[in-house]
């Protein structure tokens, strides 16, 4: 397991799509890193070849992911989301377009109070993101 100064991490559990989701997220954020990935072996309790644990980094923040069998996996809820403070409008637009493809736009993009653009989108893997550009 990766040793980290970050003592609280978001842990995402997927119904067999963890590797595809993590690869997708890594492709969205420049400088992102896959830190460690362990897959279930043939004699373990999970489906062989699926993700037992993955630790990855987006914008300097470590997250973890794993696969669970589809019958036991619980759907993500929009009640929990990942917020991204975007550096500029091109970053916001790129993230919004990519996350919305195959997903569900819940709000925006639109100005909200002092923010130039805000959006709330659930991606094709079921994870909800809040995008903010000040």
């Amino acid at each position: 397991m990766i040793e980290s100064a970050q003592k609280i991490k978001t842990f995402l559990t997927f119904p067999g799509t963890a590797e595809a989701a993590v690869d997708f997220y890594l492709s969205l954020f420049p400088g992102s890193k896959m830190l460690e990935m362990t897959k279930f072996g043939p004699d373990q309790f999970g489906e062989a070849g699926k993700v037992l644990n993955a630790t990855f980094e987006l914008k300097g923040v470590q997250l973890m992911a794993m696969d669970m069998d589809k019958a036991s996996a619980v759907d993500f809820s929009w009640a929990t989301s990942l917020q991204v403070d975007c550096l500029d409008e091109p970053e916001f637009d790129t993230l919004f377009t990519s996350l919305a493809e195959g997903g569900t736009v819940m709000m925006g993009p639109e100005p909200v109070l002092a923010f130039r653009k805000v959006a709330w989108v659930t991606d094709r893997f079921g994870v909800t993101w809040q995008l903010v550009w000040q």
Side-chain angles (χ1 to χ4, degrees):
M1 182 158 262
I2 301 287
E3 192 62 33
S4 170
Q6 184 179 317
K7 299 301 178 195
I8 297 177
K9 297 178 185 84
T10 299
F11 195 103
L12 304 169
T13 304
F14 294 89
T17 58
E19 188 167 11
V22 170
D23 287 346
F24 174 61
Y25 303 145
L26 291 172
S27 76
L28 295 179
F29 297 94
S32 296
K33 298 182 238 177
M34 172 61 73
L35 301 173
E36 181 177 57
M37 183 180 289
T38 305
K39 295 185 179 182
F40 289 104
D43 298 326
Q44 292 178 306
F45 58 90
E47 184 181 340
K50 293 297 182 177
V51 176
L52 171 61
N53 277 305
T55 304
F56 59 105
E57 187 175 290
L58 305 177
K59 285 190 160 244
V61 175
Q62 285 186 13
L63 298 97
M64 296 184 72
M66 75 172 293
D67 280 317
M68 187 172 266
D69 67 273
K70 292 177 185 168
S72 301
V74 177
D75 290 339
F76 289 106
S77 165
W78 58 270
T80 301
S81 59
L82 301 176
Q83 180 179 321
V84 180
D85 293 327
C86 298
L87 298 173
D88 53 30
E89 189 170 24
E91 180 186 31
F92 181 100
D93 292 344
T94 298
L95 287 173
F96 176 78
T97 300
S98 298
L99 292 167
E101 185 177 333
T104 304
V105 175
M106 301 171 70
M107 184 192 96
E110 60 191 68
V112 174
L113 301 172
F115 303 116
R116 293 183 225 179
K117 279 188 181 179
V118 174
W120 202 358
V121 58
T122 299
D123 68 30
R124 65 182 177 243
F125 297 101
V127 176
T128 300
W129 300 77
Q130 291 187 52
L131 306 176
V132 177
W133 175 48
Q134 296 186 15

